[in-house]
Amino acid sequence: MIEVHNLSKRYGEKLAVDDVSFTVQPGIVTGFLGPNGAGKSTTMRMIAGLDRPTSGEVIVNGQDYRASKAPMAELGVLLEAKAVHTGRSARNHLLALAYTNGVSADRVDDVIDMVGLHDVAAKRAGGFSLGMGQRLGVASALLGRPRTVVLDEPANGLDPEGVMWMREMLKDLAAQGHTVFVSSHLMSEMAQTATRLVVIGRGRLIADTTVAGFVALAGGHTVIVRTSEPARLSALLAGPDITLTPEGSDALIVDGLTTHQIGTAAGAAGIPLFELANQHTSLEEAFMEMTHDAVEYHATADVAVAS
Ligand SMILES: Nc1ncnc2c1ncn2[C@@H]1O[C@H](COP(=O)(O)OP(=O)(O)OP(=O)(O)O)[C@@H](O)[C@H]1O
Ligand SMILES: [Mg+2]
């Protein structure tokens, strides 16, 4: 379990993390979402004890994890992808880590197999591709059989097979009772992997809820209705807390009414309908909706291509 209490981190003028509190429970995968620069990596570094909070505190598995006798058995971390600058082979890199942490050599071979690096374990880790480096990072994080794992964008650089493997591995770890806290920008992946979400923007907590709860917070679902008389239907359905957005020449997106209510009203008024269907908000749409005001680095529409 990870307990984050009123955590803040200031870098000079910049308040990177601003009074954030949440709890990450064991037995499920918890996703950590937020736009670029939201403070995810900073929060994860503070959880890992690699960065000192300006204020607030983090408790991992009920204690200050650095004070633990076997820190590798408490917390496994994979922080933002950076190349392992080592002339050592992947296996020797892990063996050295195992040796200094009282972990057996058998476990090294287990994690090498788990992350699919068997064929390249004897190769120099410094020459690994981004995805192979990520796999090695995951192997390092899992080496001590940690009760809690914190992974910062672990799917970064993985091929589709690797992304699928990561998803299954995270779910397996959670099913075995581990606490799994994972950041990602891959929304469809998070929707399939995580049960709960912690969402931050500009250093502040935006939501701490289930995936379904987050989507519901962002509006949940809308209805698309296609008709030969969009203007009449629009006038008929208008009301407080109801949003009607025209879509093309013959459709409306309705927020605030059910398909049943729309169908009944249209039928009573003799307005023909060609289509009437629920549109579920995707996690990606919910994320955009909920974090829009917290996005610091908006892309501009114009892209200059050097000739
Ligand atoms: N060591 C540092 N010194 C100064 N500012 C920092 C430092 N680390 C992070 N920041 C700033 O803190 C803010 C949060 O950064 P952080 O890396 O935690 O964001 P993030 O949510 O991980 O973003 P991304 O999705 O891009 O990885 C940013 O504005 C960043 O520039
Ligand atoms: Mg980051």
Coordinates of all heavy atoms in Angstrom, one line a residue, residues 41-42 45 52 54 70 79 82 98 104 109 122 124 126 132 148-149 164-165 170 239-240 261 281-282 288 290:
S41 N 6.1 12.1 -12.5 CA 7.4 11.5 -12.2 C 7.9 12.1 -10.9 O 8.6 11.3 -10.1 CB 8.4 11.9 -13.4 OG 7.9 11.3 -14.5
T42 N 7.7 13.4 -10.6 CA 8.1 14.0 -9.4 C 7.5 13.2 -8.2 O 8.2 12.9 -7.2 CB 7.8 15.5 -9.4 OG1 8.4 16.1 -10.5 CG2 8.3 16.1 -8.1
R45 N 9.1 9.8 -7.9 CA 10.4 9.9 -7.3 C 10.3 10.1 -5.8 O 11.1 9.5 -5.0 CB 11.2 11.0 -7.9 CG 11.8 10.7 -9.3 CD 13.0 11.6 -9.6 NE 12.6 13.0 -9.6 CZ 12.0 13.7 -10.6 NH1 11.8 13.1 -11.7 NH2 11.7 15.0 -10.5
R52 N 13.3 14.5 -2.1 CA 12.8 14.9 -0.8 C 11.6 15.8 -1.0 O 11.7 16.8 -1.7 CB 13.9 15.6 0.0 CG 13.5 16.0 1.4 CD 14.6 16.8 2.0 NE 15.8 16.1 2.2 CZ 16.1 15.4 3.3 NH1 15.2 15.3 4.3 NH2 17.2 14.7 3.5
T54 N 9.0 18.8 -0.4 CA 9.1 20.1 0.3 C 8.2 20.1 1.5 O 8.6 20.6 2.6 CB 8.6 21.2 -0.7 OG1 9.4 21.1 -1.9 CG2 8.7 22.6 -0.1
A70 N 15.0 -4.7 4.3 CA 15.1 -5.2 2.9 C 14.3 -4.4 2.0 O 13.2 -4.7 1.5 CB 14.6 -6.7 2.8
L79 N 11.8 4.1 -13.0 CA 11.5 5.5 -13.2 C 11.7 5.8 -14.7 O 11.9 4.9 -15.5 CB 12.4 6.4 -12.3 CG 12.0 6.2 -10.8 CD1 12.9 7.0 -9.9 CD2 10.6 6.5 -10.6
K82 N 15.7 5.8 -19.0 CA 17.0 6.3 -19.4 C 17.9 5.1 -19.6 O 17.8 4.1 -19.0 CB 17.5 7.3 -18.3 CG 17.5 6.7 -16.9 CD 18.0 7.8 -16.0 CE 18.0 7.4 -14.5 NZ 16.7 7.2 -13.9
A98 N 21.4 -8.0 -7.4 CA 20.9 -9.0 -6.5 C 21.9 -9.2 -5.4 O 21.5 -9.3 -4.2 CB 20.7 -10.3 -7.3
S104 N 18.8 -14.0 -4.4 CA 19.5 -15.1 -5.0 C 19.7 -15.0 -6.5 O 18.9 -14.4 -7.2 CB 18.7 -16.4 -4.6 OG 17.7 -16.5 -5.5
D109 N 17.7 -15.2 -12.9 CA 17.2 -15.9 -14.1 C 15.7 -15.9 -14.3 O 15.2 -15.8 -15.4 CB 17.8 -17.4 -14.1 CG 19.3 -17.4 -14.2 OD1 19.8 -16.5 -15.0 OD2 20.0 -18.1 -13.5
A122 N 23.0 -12.0 -22.2 CA 24.5 -12.0 -22.1 C 25.1 -10.8 -22.9 O 26.3 -10.5 -22.9 CB 25.1 -13.3 -22.7
R124 N 25.7 -6.7 -23.8 CA 26.0 -5.5 -23.1 C 24.7 -4.6 -23.0 O 24.1 -4.3 -24.0 CB 27.0 -4.7 -23.8 CG 27.8 -3.6 -23.1 CD 28.9 -3.0 -23.9 NE 28.3 -2.5 -25.2 CZ 27.8 -1.3 -25.3 NH1 27.8 -0.5 -24.3 NH2 27.3 -0.9 -26.5
G126 N 24.3 -1.6 -22.1 CA 24.4 -0.3 -22.7 C 24.0 -0.2 -24.1 O 23.6 0.9 -24.6
M132 N 14.1 -2.8 -24.9 CA 14.8 -3.8 -24.1 C 15.3 -3.2 -22.8 O 15.3 -3.8 -21.8 CB 16.1 -4.3 -25.0 CG 15.7 -5.2 -26.1 SD 16.8 -5.2 -27.4 CE 18.3 -6.0 -26.7
T148 N 5.2 -3.8 -3.2 CA 4.7 -2.7 -3.9 C 5.6 -2.3 -5.1 O 6.8 -2.3 -5.0 CB 4.6 -1.5 -3.0 OG1 3.6 -1.8 -1.9 CG2 4.2 -0.2 -3.7
V149 N 5.0 -2.0 -6.3 CA 5.8 -1.6 -7.4 C 5.2 -0.3 -8.0 O 4.0 0.0 -8.0 CB 5.8 -2.6 -8.6 CG1 6.6 -3.8 -8.2 CG2 4.4 -3.0 -9.1
M164 N 1.3 -5.6 -24.5 CA 0.3 -6.6 -24.1 C 0.9 -7.4 -22.9 O 0.2 -7.7 -21.9 CB 0.0 -7.6 -25.2 CG -1.4 -8.2 -25.2 SD -1.6 -9.5 -26.4 CE -1.8 -8.6 -27.8
W165 N 2.2 -7.8 -23.1 CA 2.9 -8.5 -22.0 C 2.9 -7.7 -20.7 O 2.6 -8.2 -19.6 CB 4.3 -8.8 -22.5 CG 5.2 -9.1 -21.3 CD1 5.3 -10.2 -20.5 CD2 6.2 -8.1 -20.8 NE1 6.2 -10.0 -19.5 CE2 6.8 -8.8 -19.7 CE3 6.6 -6.8 -21.1 CZ2 7.8 -8.2 -18.9 CZ3 7.6 -6.2 -20.3 CH2 8.1 -6.9 -19.2
L170 N 1.3 -6.7 -15.2 CA 0.8 -5.8 -14.1 C -0.5 -6.4 -13.4 O -0.6 -6.3 -12.2 CB 0.5 -4.4 -14.7 CG 1.7 -3.6 -15.2 CD1 1.3 -2.3 -15.9 CD2 2.7 -3.4 -14.1
G239 N -33.6 22.2 -23.0 CA -34.0 22.3 -21.6 C -32.8 22.6 -20.7 O -31.6 22.5 -21.2
P240 N -33.0 22.9 -19.4 CA -31.9 23.1 -18.5 C -31.0 21.8 -18.4 O -31.6 20.7 -18.4 CB -32.5 23.5 -17.2 CG -34.0 23.2 -17.4 CD -34.3 23.0 -18.8
Q261 N -36.0 8.6 -23.3 CA -36.6 10.0 -23.3 C -36.7 10.6 -24.7 O -37.7 11.2 -25.1 CB -35.9 10.9 -22.3 CG -36.0 10.5 -20.9 CD -35.0 11.3 -20.0 OE1 -33.9 11.4 -20.3 NE2 -35.5 11.8 -18.9
T281 N -18.4 7.5 -23.5 CA -17.1 8.3 -23.4 C -16.0 7.4 -23.2 O -16.0 6.5 -22.4 CB -17.2 9.3 -22.3 OG1 -18.4 10.1 -22.4 CG2 -16.1 10.3 -22.3
S282 N -14.9 7.5 -24.0 CA -13.7 6.7 -23.8 C -12.9 7.4 -22.7 O -13.1 8.5 -22.4 CB -12.9 6.6 -25.1 OG -12.4 7.9 -25.4
M288 N -9.2 14.1 -21.7 CA -9.1 15.4 -22.3 C -10.1 16.4 -21.7 O -9.7 17.5 -21.4 CB -9.5 15.2 -23.8 CG -8.6 14.3 -24.6 SD -6.9 14.8 -24.7 CE -7.0 15.6 -26.3
M290 N -11.3 16.3 -18.6 CA -11.0 16.6 -17.2 C -9.7 17.3 -17.0 O -9.5 17.9 -16.0 CB -11.0 15.2 -16.4 CG -12.3 14.5 -16.3 SD -13.6 15.4 -15.4 CE -12.9 15.3 -13.8

